[in-house]
Amino acid sequence: MDPYAMTTGVLRSPDFRRFLGSHVANELGGNISRVALPLVAVLVLHAGALEVGLLSALQTVAFLVIGLPAGVWVDRMRRRRVMVAADLVRGLLLASIPLAYTLGLLSIWVMFAVALLVGAAQVFNDVADQTYLPELVSKDDLGSGNSKLEFVRAGGSLAGPSAGGALVQLLGAPVTVLATALTSLGSALLLGSIRTPDRLAPRAEERPGMWSGIREGLAFVWEDRLLRAITVTTAGTNLCLSAVLGLSVLFLAEVVRLPPGLIGVLLMSGAVGGLLGGLTGGWLFKRYGTARVTWLAISVTSPFGLLLPMTQADWRMSFFSITSIALSWGAILYNVGQLTYRQTVAPEHMLGRVNATVRFVVWSTMPLGALLGGVVAQQIGVRQALWVFMGGRLISFVPLLFSPLPRLRDFAQLQAKS
């Protein structure tokens, strides 16, 4: 097969390109808003550290509150309509901030409410987004499609914060928030232009009840041996990495004693690994197999984590970048692989609940990891805490050793046996 076709075949679909374009708009706008919203609070409302922290927390707390019910609701509706509605709601909410500022009505409580509701809209968008791709591309192209979407996410995380800072300096924080609202509108327009007919929503009598639907999603994830191992591994990995990420700035600033500009460069290196993962993922999955790459991505790159605690203010500062690039590259490949497996193995009418269940479990460990990181660092020191959590990250893939994954080349082999 032509290598060019292997890496770009999915891009030949106009509808996939529109879907990918909506991700470009959303990822760029979302990462800009993560800079702009706190800056509105600080520069316009003179918020303190506690208020800014609460504002940040409110943007993610919705997933823990409505993450599981969102999966049931998404399975009851047409997925593309859910994403369009979420984009429009998010755009209107973000646009309310510069409007309230213009009218003299902006307060920190308005910011809190907008952050909470935007986070709720994002939950629905994320669950529907992961559930929708199989409607656009064939099962053979899921790995390639997911790789390209991950490339866009990594690019957004790299370009968004710097673009957000530049826009705030040029236009002011409230106007920058308005710009992010326009990116949501752009995403909605691109999604609305997709010509592939939506999957029909189930009839009322076929729709699961809320609690029975949640139970079915949980049961499916638990009873699938490989999906259970993947979920446990991902939850453990997220817990350890959340602790490391929470300590990284403190480590570089207070322990290694690097200047702020250099710290910013080092912290951006992880996005480079994400971009590499998105670029190479489609080719690697085609060449070596989806299951094999998923397994090797996490097992081969995890040992690089042990370099990070050895970072010093000399040539060894490169250890931080090497670790970030390697782990991010491996994480992208692993995430694409495990998402592709979910999209392949879950029944179409349950995919929303399965995606929501996995995301609920693996994201719930992140705030716990951030808290544990602070507690452990307080007790034994920051560098020592990084050794602990990078060691935990190294062994987090052990559950996969007892799953069918190491013996597979492609996930289709497991399906053929079941």
Side-chain angles (χ1 to χ4, degrees), residues 240 243-244 247 309 372-392:
C240 294
V244 172
L247 295 173
L372 279 176
V375 171
V376 174
Q378 184 72 26
Q379 296 298 317
I380 65 175
V382 175
R383 192 184 296 274
Q384 291 74 16
L386 291 176
W387 279 110
V388 169
F389 287 106
M390 278 306 188

Side-chain angles (χ1 to χ4, degrees), residues 26-315:
N26 259 336
E27 292 298 328
L28 185 60
N31 281 285
I32 290 175
S33 69
R34 291 186 184 97
V35 174
L37 287 178
L39 286 177
V40 169
V42 173
L43 300 177
V44 177
L45 302 175
H46 308 291
L50 178 60
E51 292 169 318
V52 172
L54 182 56
L55 182 67
S56 177
L58 287 172
Q59 295 180 66
T60 57
V61 72
F63 201 92
L64 296 179
V65 177
I66 62 171
L68 292 177
V72 179
W73 284 320
V74 167
D75 277 341
R76 292 176 178 176
M77 297 178 282
R78 299 189 183 191
R79 280 76 183 260
R80 183 156 61 101
R81 292 185 180 182
V82 173
M83 290 186 288
V84 171
D87 281 338
L88 293 176
V89 168
R90 185 169 48 200
L92 289 173
L93 287 167
L94 291 171
S96 71
I97 291 178
L99 178 61
Y101 171 72
T102 302
L103 298 175
L105 301 175
L106 187 62
S107 69
I108 193 63
W109 293 104
V110 170
M111 297 286 294
F112 287 161
V114 169
L116 180 63
L117 294 174
V118 166
Q122 189 65 44
V123 169
F124 281 94
N125 184 83
D126 286 354
V127 174
D129 174 80
Q130 291 192 341
T131 307
Y132 181 64
L133 184 62
E135 296 184 33
L136 279 186
V137 303
S138 67
K139 287 189 176 181
D140 290 339
D141 286 329
L142 283 174
S144 177
N146 281 317
S147 294
K148 289 170 175 60
L149 296 176
E150 287 293 338
F151 175 79
V152 168
R153 291 188 183 101
S157 67
L158 181 63
S162 57
L167 287 172
V168 169
Q169 186 169 350
L170 180 65
L171 304 174
V175 178
T176 300
V177 174
L178 178 60
T180 67
L182 295 177
T183 63
S184 293
L185 176 60
S187 174
L189 291 174
L190 285 166
L191 290 171
S193 69
I194 291 175
R195 296 178 180 178
T196 301
D198 289 350
R199 177 197 64 91
L200 294 177
R203 295 192 300 269
E205 60 271 18
E206 298 174 340
R207 297 173 183 172
M210 179 57 67
W211 295 113
S212 62
I214 290 174
R215 285 196 300 271
E216 287 175 0
L218 290 167
F220 186 91
V221 172
W222 178 255
E223 292 169 4
D224 185 285
R225 184 181 172 194
L226 178 52
L227 191 52
R228 181 173 68 240
I230 287 173
T231 303
V232 172
T233 291
T234 309
T237 299
N238 283 353
L239 184 144
C240 294
L241 286 183
S242 294
V244 172
L245 290 173
L247 295 173
S248 291
V249 173
L250 180 63
F251 173 64
L252 294 174
E254 299 295 330
V255 179
V256 184
R257 297 187 179 280
L258 297 178
L262 191 52
I263 290 173
V265 172
L266 292 177
L267 292 176
M268 287 175 59
S269 57
V272 175
L275 289 173
L276 291 174
L279 281 173
T280 60
W283 179 80
L284 288 170
F285 287 125
K286 289 281 188 180
R287 179 71 180 270
Y288 299 107
T290 51
R292 183 176 295 164
V293 173
T294 302
W295 156 248
L296 290 176
I298 190 169
S299 60
V300 171
T301 59
S302 289
F304 283 92
L306 298 180
L307 288 174
L308 189 141
M310 293 189 277
T311 300
Q312 299 286 355
D314 50 29
W315 64 271

